[in-house]
Amino acid sequence: MTTRPIIPPQQIDAPLTRYSIFLVLTVADDGGSVAAVRSALAGTEDLVKDVSFRAAGAQLSCTVGIGSRVWTRLTGLVQPAELHPFREIAGATHTAVATPGDLLFHIRADRHDVCFELERLLVETLGTATTTVDEVSGFRYFDRRDLLGFVDGTANPIGPDLPDSTVVGDEDPTFAGGSYVLVQKYTHRLAAWQALTTEQQEAIMGRRKADNVELDDVESGQKAHKTLTTITDDDGEHDILRDNMPFGSPGSGEFGTYFIGYSRHLWVIEKMLERMFVGDPPGLHDRLLDFSVAQTGTCYFVPPAAMLAGLDDVGPAPTSSDEAPGPGPALAVPPQDAARGTLGIGSLKIPHPTSTTAGRTPR
Amino acid sequence: MNHLLRDLAPLTSDNWSLVDSEAVDRLSVALGARKLVDFAGPLGWEHSATNLGRVGPAVPAPVDGIVARPRVVLPLAEVRAAFSLERDELESGTRGAADVDLAPLDDAALRLARLENSAVFRGWDAFGMTGVAQASPHAPVPAGADPRRYPVRVAEAVATLKRSGVAGPYGLALDDDAWVAVTGGNDAGGSPLLTHLERILGGPVEWTPGVGSPVVLSLRGGDFLFESGADLAVGYCAHTATTVDLYLQETFSFRVATPEAAIALA
């Protein structure tokens, strides 16, 4: 059997890899930049092929997310049902900050050089149309542990549950096949964490450290991280797909975890954050946050591959001859689409970081 | 073809791209209000009114034993800024001229942005819209003549908002003159006035032509609601042998949910 080296574009459940890069960009406001970004996004698939063909077996994949602020200008479409800028969640003690970010590139591969090469080409193609606001290189740490020493990502859905939990379906037909993605960069107060006993750490996480086995949920009082991030309602348990990565630089005292969650419903991830930061009951926040500080927070919609590749075919202000079904546009645009034919300006409000500056390590 | 009738205009697709991108460039700079308030939509050309969720007083019904009350809605304003371009100029564009004269479009864009900013901050009686500054229950902070005193006045305004329980970040909307004074000046302590103000606000200082007096408002969201029907677009009206008449058009409504989340400087 020959190895097919290329993972389909925008496949959110691409294999868990040894390395990944999380690149967050903002798009300049002028029309020229928006057009340049549109064309670069449509060409992402080709760039991935260019790189992965040279590195067979490296499992290179790239997922692109587009933020609410630029969605309509870039795609000429109405916003997906749940898409909106990251909403800050302020608990009594800790805050999930909202920071700028219009585009997310989630680059995964088994080789760091391959991730690097794709990022280099992407940034080169986008040129001055975008500004990098955050860039994190993550790596797998032993048996998929975070830098706190615990195994991370165990609760991911598998089998038929995976698409059910992560891919938009008939509830939003225009955007069926896409996903919502939310990212946050956390930095750890590692020394304080290591001062705890293993039993204290296990109580906070809700898992045994050595063998990753879940502890029983407590019935009342302070709940474990594992319990707070389990969302259950009348429809059962709502899962999300995580592909978190540790990152760090011991020389400069930086130790972190980059959280990335893909979901069919953005509200599920937001609910998890609310339970962590506000607490359940309110006031009893996730104790993990006493040792992990959210430095960034952004969310995006991951359009299906055909929609992304078709971006180049649809301008923001098409003349009406484009309305006749013809070759080219891969987008299924409903005729009632309200943004069509406009200049696509929409909202110009950008989320502003409040308490912390993105990318800075806490004291 | 939709209501904008763009296909009937004597413009090539390159002409249209030029006109559209020029309009986007001009509008994105001048639409200060959109950088400060919540935006919903666009909901489409057919969308005509904003639901306020309220009913009016009972009205007489033709049958006894019926209670009839009218729903209260806020109509969308349909606003249009017309402009004419020289067909000679547009034709030069098709030959590759880099300096096509689009000044009438630039004027129209600024007029429309001024109108939108004014409606958001100063209200518009004819449409029943109440503006951000109009709605504020706080007594305006006296700004004085000296822009170097702005940091103190803005800090006072922010303090008033905080006392009312309105969280930040905050933004500041400035009209032409005040914006020039702030971006060009310093605070007499060596730091640019703009930097100083942004630090106090935790948010941006926006050029908002049409706002009138400066306004400090919370950007936390949910307080000021701009609803777009048909978002800004360029449409076609008529042409002669030498000119083509186009227009910029949008429909919108604006309402204030939390009057105390803003304060004016007088």
Side-chain angles (χ1 to χ4, degrees):
Chain A
M1 197 184 91
T2 45
T3 316
R4 308 305 300 179
I6 293 169
I7 295 162
Q10 298 297 81
Q11 187 184 334
I12 59 168
D13 59 334
L16 296 172
T17 52
R18 296 165 59 87
Y19 297 95
S20 60
I21 289 178
F22 305 91
L23 179 66
V24 173
L25 308 170
T26 51
V27 178
D29 277 336
D30 61 287
S33 294
V34 172
V37 169
R38 195 181 295 124
S39 129
L41 292 185
T44 310
E45 183 180 342
D46 289 334
L47 278 188
V48 174
K49 281 183 193 161
D50 293 345
V51 177
S52 58
F53 205 76
R54 291 167 52 201
Q59 307 263 44
L60 176 67
S61 69
C62 177
T63 320
V64 182
I66 301 175
S68 168
R69 192 182 78 91
V70 293
W71 176 270
T72 301
R73 290 184 67 191
L74 273 178
T75 63
L77 296 170
V78 290
Q79 303 246 337
E82 286 192 66
L83 186 62
H84 55 71
F86 187 95
R87 292 179 182 148
E88 178 181 290
I89 298 171
T93 315
H94 302 292
T95 299
V97 295
T99 52
D102 295 332
L103 296 176
L104 169 74
F105 290 93
H106 181 200
I107 303 169
R108 291 177 267 192
D110 271 337
R111 283 166 48 184
H112 188 50
D113 60 339
V114 175
C115 291
F116 171 89
E117 180 69 358
L118 180 60
E119 185 193 0
R120 185 183 74 78
L121 292 172
L122 282 169
V123 170
E124 184 180 288
T125 310
L126 288 161
T128 56
T130 56
T131 308
T132 303
V133 289
D134 194 29
E135 175 192 37
V136 170
S137 292
F139 51 86
R140 183 190 297 170
Y141 189 55
F142 294 98
D143 44 344
R144 302 214 167 99
R145 285 177 194 266
D146 56 31
L147 298 184
L148 301 175
F150 282 79
V151 175
D152 195 10
T154 313
N156 278 340
I158 51 170
D161 286 346
L162 181 60
D164 280 355
S165 327
T166 54
V167 180
V168 172
D170 293 341
E171 69 273 17
D172 194 2
T174 312
F175 300 107
S179 288
Y180 296 92
V181 61
L182 185 149
V183 296
Q184 285 180 298
K185 179 162 96 176
Y186 286 92
T187 51
H188 300 311
R189 295 176 174 139
L190 205 57
W193 175 255
Q194 284 166 345
L196 301 180
T197 64
T198 299
E199 288 71 24
Q200 286 170 324
Q201 293 178 354
E202 289 179 342
I204 289 173
M205 301 297 282
R207 284 182 186 282
R208 290 213 299 255
K209 195 170 182 177
D211 62 9
N212 193 33
V213 174
E214 288 194 21
L215 304 176
D216 290 337
D217 289 331
V218 296
E219 291 301 322
S220 61
Q222 179 66 52
K223 298 192 172 87
H225 175 68
K226 170 205 74 167
T227 315
L228 290 170
T229 54
T230 303
I231 307 296
T232 313
D233 66 10
D234 295 344
D235 299 333
E237 189 174 323
H238 294 276
D239 285 325
I240 66 168
L241 179 70
R242 298 172 181 82
D243 198 352
N244 298 356
M245 277 280 179
F247 66 90
S249 165
S252 49
E254 184 186 57
F255 303 96
T257 298
Y258 204 93
F259 165 75
I260 183 163
Y262 289 97
S263 181
R264 177 177 186 168
H265 301 288
L266 187 56
W267 70 261
V268 174
I269 312 183
E270 291 177 322
K271 185 80 188 164
M272 286 180 185
L273 296 182
E274 190 186 313
R275 284 166 59 88
M276 288 172 63
F277 283 83
V278 176
D280 177 42
L284 291 181
H285 63 262
D286 188 340
R287 290 284 313 282
L288 182 56
L289 297 175
D290 296 341
F291 307 91
S292 304
V293 182
Q295 303 288 352
T296 70
T298 47
C299 54
Y300 311 85
F301 186 75
V302 178
M307 192 181 275
L308 190 73
L311 279 188
D312 220 10
D313 305 329
V314 177
T319 55
S320 55
S321 55
D322 291 348
E323 280 167 23
L331 293 178
V333 183
Q336 71 274 20
D337 185 344
R340 264 201 97 136
T342 75
L343 296 170
I345 292 180
S347 177
L348 298 175
K349 192 176 176 185
I350 51 173
H352 293 276
T354 48
S355 49
T356 48
T357 309
R360 191 172 296 167
T361 313
R363 304 290 139 225
Chain B
M1 189 159 55
N2 64 14
H3 61 281
L4 297 169
L5 306 181
R6 288 164 64 104
D7 270 11
L8 298 182
L11 267 70
T12 66
S13 54
D14 285 350
N15 283 158
W16 272 121
S17 305
L18 181 71
V19 165
D20 285 345
S21 72
E22 176 77 4
V24 169
D25 289 352
R26 294 288 169 155
L27 288 163
S28 339
V29 176
L31 291 170
R34 289 198 189 199
K35 297 173 183 168
L36 298 166
V37 303
D38 293 358
F39 181 95
L43 300 169
W45 175 239
E46 296 83 1
H47 184 72
S48 291
T50 302
N51 176 23
L52 297 180
R54 297 188 178 274
V55 288
V59 296
V63 174
D64 288 345
I66 300 290
V67 179
R69 296 186 294 175
R71 288 289 182 88
V72 180
V73 295
L74 187 61
L76 261 57
E78 182 182 313
V79 296
R80 181 183 281 208
F83 58 94
S84 294
L85 298 177
E86 297 294 327
R87 292 183 62 181
D88 265 358
E89 282 294 315
L90 292 168
E91 199 181 351
S92 304
T94 63
R95 294 187 210 101
D99 57 349
V100 178
D101 180 15
L102 297 173
L105 164 60
D106 300 345
D107 289 347
L110 186 56
R111 282 206 302 282
L112 205 57
R114 202 176 276 282
L115 178 278
E116 190 181 298
N117 294 336
S118 166
V120 166
F121 282 96
R122 307 165 86 174
W124 195 350
D125 282 346
F127 288 98
M129 291 183 211
T130 305
V132 172
Q134 250 184 329
S136 171
H138 307 296
V141 176
D146 184 359
R148 280 177 301 181
R149 301 290 295 161
Y150 263 46
V152 177
R153 309 303 179 207
V154 168
E156 202 176 322
V158 167
T160 304
L161 295 181
K162 283 186 190 291
R163 269 199 300 276
S164 313
V166 176
Y170 309 95
L172 174 62
L174 294 177
D175 217 325
D176 301 301
D177 294 346
W179 196 83
V180 170
V182 162
T183 46
N186 67 57
D187 62 357
S191 151
L193 199 44
L194 184 66
T195 316
H196 199 154
L197 287 173
E198 285 179 340
R199 199 161 293 166
I200 296 168
L201 295 161
V205 175
E206 296 293 354
W207 177 52
T208 315
V211 66
S213 309
V215 177
V216 176
L217 72 168
S218 172
L219 304 184
R220 62 182 173 172
D223 300 320
F224 307 108
L225 313 169
F226 183 97
E227 188 171 293
S228 169
D231 201 0
L232 288 157
V234 184
Y236 163 77
C237 178
H239 67 270
T240 66
T242 55
T243 62
V244 51
D245 296 346
L246 304 175
Y247 59 85
L248 270 164
Q249 179 170 272
E250 67 166 328
T251 66
F252 72 93
S253 73
F254 176 75
R255 61 199 197 278
V256 175
T258 320
E260 64 269 27
I263 179 168
L265 273 62

